Amino acid sequence: MFNKVLVANRGEIALRVMRACRDLGVRTVAIYSDADKNAGHVRFADEAYNVGPARAADSYLDHEAVIEAGRKAGADAVHPGYGFLAENAEFARKVEMSELTWVGPSADAMERLGEKTKARALMQEADVPVVPGTTEPVESADEVKQIAAEYGYPVAIKAEGGGGGRGLKVVRSEDEVESQLETAQREGKAYFDNASVYVEKYLEAPRHVEVQILADEHGNVRHLGERDCSLQRRHQKVIEEAPSPALDADLRERIGEAARRGVREADYTNAGTVEFLVEDGEFYFMEVNTRIQVEHTVTEEVTGIDVVKWQLRVAAGDELDFAQEDIEIDGHAIEYRINAENAADEFAPATGTLETYDPPGGIGVRIDDAVRQGDEIGGDYDSMIAKLIVAAGDRRECLARSERALSEFEIEGLSTIVPFHRLMLTDEAFRAGEHTTKYLDEELDRTRIDRAVEKWGAADASPAKDDGEGGDESGADAEVTEREFTVEVNGKRFEVNLEERGAPPVPDIDALGNGGTAAGRDGGPSRSRPEEAAGGDDGEVVVEGEGEQVTAEMQGTILSVDVGEGEEVAAGDVVCVLEAMKMENDVVTERGGTVTQVLIEEGDSVDMDDVLVVLE
C-alpha cells in the first residue's frame, strides 16, 4: 500500500478520498487554489500545497503544478477524485510517466472509453446496445444535418470528453444546428479541453441508469449493481438512488452483465461507471465515466463495499477478494445533492456565508461534506457543498427517513436546494419511481418549487459581521492577543499561532493618503469597487462613462464576449456568456443602446457586481 497520496481535487470528494486513505493508514496531501486557502479538504489533509490562482485552469487543471506538488510532498500516488483532471488521459499519462502512481484506469483505457465515439465503437464490439448515431466525430453543421435526416429530429450533439450534461446540446430543427454545434464545441473545449463532438438520436423520455464497476489488474471484473439517476435538471443530476425502481430482475441482470462485458473488452482496471439510457424495456449504452462518481455513495450503502478504498487497493496491485455472486444488494439508498443554488430561480448558483450549518444525523443518515459553519461559499467552483445519503431496509422506509433527515438539515446564509428535495418527497411521480430525465425540466409545475422555497427556504444571507480583527485593542484584555495565521513557504501551507503584545490599532483607511494601501483580511489590497475595475496607465483609476452598466450577477469565468464597442444592441440581447459553477449563463441587456465599453475578455474571471459592459 502507498505511504502518501496526493488528492488532486477539492471539496467533499477530496475529503472522501482522504478519509479512505486514513482508513488504510496512508498519509494525505491536498492541493488548493488561492480561493481555497481555508477550505475543508485543506484543513483535513496532512500536508497542503498551493497550485495557483482561483481560476481552475490556472490551478486545479495545471498538470505541471499538480505533479510538482506531489514531488515536493514525496507522494507515492495521485487520486484525481471526480471532475477537474479525473478523466484527462493526457494528465493520467503524465502521472504514469512520473515516479507517481495513477489511482484510476490506465491512460490508454481512458482514451478508449473517455472519448465517446471510441467508447461507442468498443461497446458495439462487445455486443452492448448503443443509441443510433455516429462512431466518429463530426466537424460541420452539414454533417449534423445529414445525420438528423437519417434518424430524424431531435438529435443530440455531445462533447467527446463530456459528462454531467456539459457539452450536450439538443437540436430539434435544422435552424438550430449551427448555434448548438458551436455551443457544444465551445463547452467541450472549456470544460474538457476537447472540442470534438459526435451526434446521436435523442431519446425523448428515458431513464438514466448506471452500473458501478470495479476491475483489478488480475483479470477480475465485478459490477456492484445499478443506480438510478433520472431526476435531473438541465442534464445535471440532483437525486440518485440504488437500486433503480424502474428495473425488473431480468433487465437488472442483463444491464449488469452488459456493463461487465464492455469494461472487459476495454481492458479496464480500477473503478468506473457504465451509463445507460432505459426506455420501453430496452437499454442503450450512453458513456463510461472513467473515475469515481458523485453518487458512488448509494452503491456503498447497499453493498457494504467501500469503492474509494478499493480504488486505492487496486492501484496498489491488490486483487479483488470477492466474486460476483458474493455481491448482494441489501436495502435501498438515496443521495440528495446539497447544492448552493436557488431552485426558485432556475437553480441559479448562490454564494454567501454559512451562517448556520447543522446537518442531520441518526441511523441510516450519512453526510459527505467539506464545509463547516462560518465558511464562505464562493462561485469559483461546483455549487455542491454537501451530499446527504439516506439508507433503509426498502425504498418506502428510505423515503420516510429522508423526510426526517431533510427536515433536520439547517442551513442559513445562502440558498440551497434543500427545499426542493423536501418538495420531491411529496411528489407523486417521484415517490412512485415513475420520473424520467425530462421530469424536472418539462413536466414539474414550477410554481410548486416557488412555494417550496417560500415554505422551507432558509433566511437570506446575513449582513457581514464584525470578525473582531478591527476592534479596540486598548485595555488589559488586549495586552496579549492570540492570532492564527496561514503562511506559505515555497508553496506549502503552514498554520502558525502567534501572540501579539500591545498590538497597534488598525490604521484609519481614510488617513492612509494617496501613497497608502488598505489591506484586506488576507493581507492583500482590498478589492476595488466595480466602477474602478478598469485601471489606466501609471495606476490611475478609470471610471466607466455614463450609461447603463451590465454587471455580473455571480462570480465566474467569461466563456465568450458577444458584443463590441460601437455595436447596437436590443433589450434581451446576449452580451457575453458567463460560466459559473459548471453552468453557462447568458448575460443579457435589460434595454437597448450602443455599446460604449467592453471591460471583459474571454477567459477573464469576474466577481459578483463587476461591470462587464456599458451602454448608452
Side-chain angles (χ1 to χ4, degrees), residues 356-387:
T356 299
Y357 182 74
D358 189 8
I363 190 169
V365 175
R366 167 180 168 180
I367 296 289
D368 279 21
D369 62 13
V371 296
R372 65 185 178 189
Q373 190 161 296
D375 280 358
E376 293 283 340
I377 306 301
D380 296 293
Y381 310 112
D382 192 283
S383 61
M384 188 174 65
I385 61 174
K387 300 184 305 196

Coordinates of all heavy atoms in Angstrom, one line a residue, residues 356-387:
T356 N -25.4 29.4 9.4 CA -25.8 28.2 10.2 C -25.6 27.0 9.3 O -26.0 27.0 8.1 CB -27.3 28.2 10.6 OG1 -27.5 29.4 11.4 CG2 -27.7 27.0 11.3
Y357 N -24.9 26.0 9.8 CA -24.7 24.8 9.1 C -24.8 23.6 10.1 O -23.8 23.4 10.8 CB -23.4 24.7 8.3 CG -23.2 23.4 7.5 CD1 -23.9 23.3 6.3 CD2 -22.4 22.4 8.0 CE1 -23.8 22.1 5.6 CE2 -22.2 21.2 7.2 CZ -22.9 21.1 6.1 OH -22.8 19.9 5.3
D358 N -25.9 23.0 10.1 CA -26.2 21.9 11.1 C -26.8 20.8 10.4 O -28.1 20.7 10.3 CB -27.1 22.5 12.2 CG -27.3 21.5 13.4 OD1 -26.6 20.5 13.4 OD2 -28.1 21.8 14.3
P359 N -26.0 19.8 9.9 CA -26.6 18.7 9.1 C -27.2 17.7 10.1 O -27.0 17.6 11.3 CB -25.3 18.1 8.5 CG -24.2 18.5 9.3 CD -24.6 19.8 9.9
P360 N -28.1 16.8 9.5 CA -28.8 15.8 10.3 C -27.9 14.6 10.7 O -26.8 14.5 10.2 CB -29.9 15.4 9.4 CG -29.4 15.5 8.0 CD -28.5 16.8 8.1
G361 N -28.4 13.8 11.5 CA -27.7 12.6 11.9 C -28.7 11.4 12.2 O -29.8 11.5 11.7
G362 N -28.3 10.5 13.0 CA -29.1 9.3 13.3 C -28.9 8.1 12.4 O -28.1 8.2 11.4
I363 N -29.6 7.1 12.7 CA -29.4 5.8 12.0 C -29.8 6.0 10.5 O -30.7 6.6 10.2 CB -30.2 4.7 12.6 CG1 -29.8 3.3 12.0 CG2 -31.7 4.9 12.5 CD1 -30.4 2.1 12.8
G364 N -28.9 5.4 9.6 CA -29.2 5.4 8.2 C -28.9 6.8 7.5 O -29.3 7.0 6.4
V365 N -28.3 7.7 8.2 CA -28.0 9.0 7.6 C -26.5 9.3 7.5 O -25.8 9.1 8.5 CB -28.7 10.1 8.5 CG1 -28.3 11.5 8.0 CG2 -30.2 10.0 8.5
R366 N -26.1 9.6 6.4 CA -24.6 9.8 6.1 C -24.5 11.2 5.4 O -25.3 11.6 4.6 CB -24.1 8.8 5.2 CG -22.7 9.0 4.6 CD -22.3 7.9 3.7 NE -21.1 8.2 2.9 CZ -20.5 7.3 2.0 NH1 -21.0 6.1 1.9 NH2 -19.5 7.7 1.3
I367 N -23.5 12.0 5.9 CA -23.2 13.3 5.3 C -21.8 13.2 4.7 O -20.8 12.9 5.5 CB -23.3 14.4 6.3 CG1 -24.7 14.6 6.8 CG2 -22.8 15.7 5.7 CD1 -25.7 15.1 5.8
D368 N -21.6 13.5 3.5 CA -20.3 13.7 2.9 C -20.2 15.2 2.6 O -20.9 15.8 1.7 CB -20.2 12.9 1.6 CG -19.8 11.5 1.8 OD1 -20.1 11.0 2.9 OD2 -19.3 10.8 0.9
D369 N -19.3 15.9 3.2 CA -19.1 17.3 3.0 C -17.7 17.7 3.3 O -16.9 16.9 3.7 CB -20.1 18.2 3.9 CG -19.9 18.0 5.4 OD1 -18.8 17.4 5.8 OD2 -20.8 18.4 6.1
A370 N -17.4 19.0 3.1 CA -16.0 19.6 3.4 C -16.2 21.0 3.9 O -15.3 21.8 3.7 CB -15.1 19.5 2.3
V371 N -17.4 21.3 4.5 CA -17.6 22.7 4.9 C -18.0 22.6 6.4 O -18.3 21.6 7.0 CB -18.8 23.3 4.1 CG1 -18.4 23.5 2.7 CG2 -20.1 22.5 4.3
R372 N -18.0 23.8 7.0 CA -18.4 23.9 8.4 C -19.0 25.3 8.6 O -18.9 26.2 7.7 CB -17.2 23.8 9.4 CG -16.2 24.8 9.3 CD -15.0 24.5 10.2 NE -13.9 25.5 10.0 CZ -12.7 25.4 10.6 NH1 -12.4 24.3 11.3 NH2 -11.8 26.3 10.4
Q373 N -19.7 25.5 9.6 CA -20.4 26.8 9.9 C -19.4 27.9 9.9 O -18.3 27.8 10.4 CB -21.1 26.7 11.2 CG -22.0 27.9 11.5 CD -23.0 27.6 12.6 OE1 -23.8 26.7 12.5 NE2 -22.9 28.3 13.7
G374 N -19.8 29.0 9.2 CA -18.9 30.1 9.0 C -18.1 30.2 7.8 O -17.5 31.2 7.4
D375 N -18.1 29.1 7.0 CA -17.3 29.1 5.7 C -18.0 30.0 4.7 O -19.2 30.1 4.7 CB -17.2 27.6 5.2 CG -16.2 26.8 5.9 OD1 -15.5 27.3 6.7 OD2 -16.0 25.6 5.5
E376 N -17.1 30.6 3.9 CA -17.6 31.3 2.7 C -17.8 30.4 1.5 O -16.9 29.6 1.2 CB -16.6 32.4 2.4 CG -16.5 33.5 3.4 CD -17.7 34.5 3.4 OE1 -18.3 34.6 2.4 OE2 -17.9 35.2 4.4
I377 N -18.9 30.5 0.9 CA -19.2 29.7 -0.3 C -19.1 30.7 -1.5 O -20.0 31.5 -1.7 CB -20.6 29.0 -0.3 CG1 -20.7 28.2 1.0 CG2 -20.8 28.2 -1.5 CD1 -19.6 27.1 1.1
G378 N -18.1 30.6 -2.3 CA -17.9 31.4 -3.5 C -18.5 30.8 -4.7 O -19.1 29.8 -4.7
G379 N -18.2 31.4 -5.8 CA -18.8 30.9 -7.1 C -17.7 30.5 -8.0 O -17.9 30.4 -9.2
D380 N -16.5 30.1 -7.5 CA -15.4 29.8 -8.4 C -15.6 28.3 -8.9 O -15.0 28.0 -10.0 CB -14.1 29.9 -7.7 CG -13.8 31.3 -7.3 OD1 -13.6 32.1 -8.2 OD2 -13.8 31.6 -6.1
Y381 N -16.3 27.5 -8.1 CA -16.3 26.0 -8.5 C -17.7 25.5 -8.5 O -18.7 26.2 -8.5 CB -15.3 25.3 -7.6 CG -14.0 25.9 -7.5 CD1 -13.5 26.5 -6.3 CD2 -13.1 25.9 -8.6 CE1 -12.3 27.1 -6.2 CE2 -11.9 26.5 -8.5 CZ -11.5 27.1 -7.3 OH -10.2 27.7 -7.2
D382 N -17.8 24.2 -8.4 CA -19.1 23.5 -8.4 C -20.0 24.0 -7.3 O -19.5 24.3 -6.2 CB -18.8 22.0 -8.3 CG -20.1 21.2 -8.6 OD1 -20.9 21.1 -7.7 OD2 -20.2 20.6 -9.7
S383 N -21.3 24.0 -7.5 CA -22.2 24.5 -6.5 C -22.5 23.5 -5.4 O -23.2 23.9 -4.4 CB -23.5 24.9 -7.1 OG -24.1 23.8 -7.8
M384 N -22.1 22.3 -5.5 CA -22.4 21.3 -4.5 C -21.6 21.4 -3.2 O -20.3 21.4 -3.3 CB -22.3 19.8 -5.0 CG -22.8 18.8 -4.1 SD -22.7 17.1 -4.8 CE -20.9 16.9 -5.0
I385 N -22.2 21.7 -2.1 CA -21.4 21.9 -0.9 C -21.5 20.6 0.0 O -20.7 20.5 1.0 CB -21.9 23.1 -0.1 CG1 -23.4 22.9 0.3 CG2 -21.7 24.4 -0.9 CD1 -23.9 24.1 1.2
A386 N -22.4 19.7 -0.2 CA -22.5 18.5 0.6 C -23.4 17.5 -0.1 O -24.1 17.8 -1.1 CB -23.1 18.9 2.0
K387 N -23.4 16.3 0.4 CA -24.3 15.2 0.0 C -24.9 14.6 1.2 O -24.2 14.2 2.2 CB -23.5 14.2 -0.8 CG -22.8 14.7 -2.1 CD -22.2 13.7 -2.9 CE -21.2 12.8 -2.2 NZ -20.3 12.1 -3.1

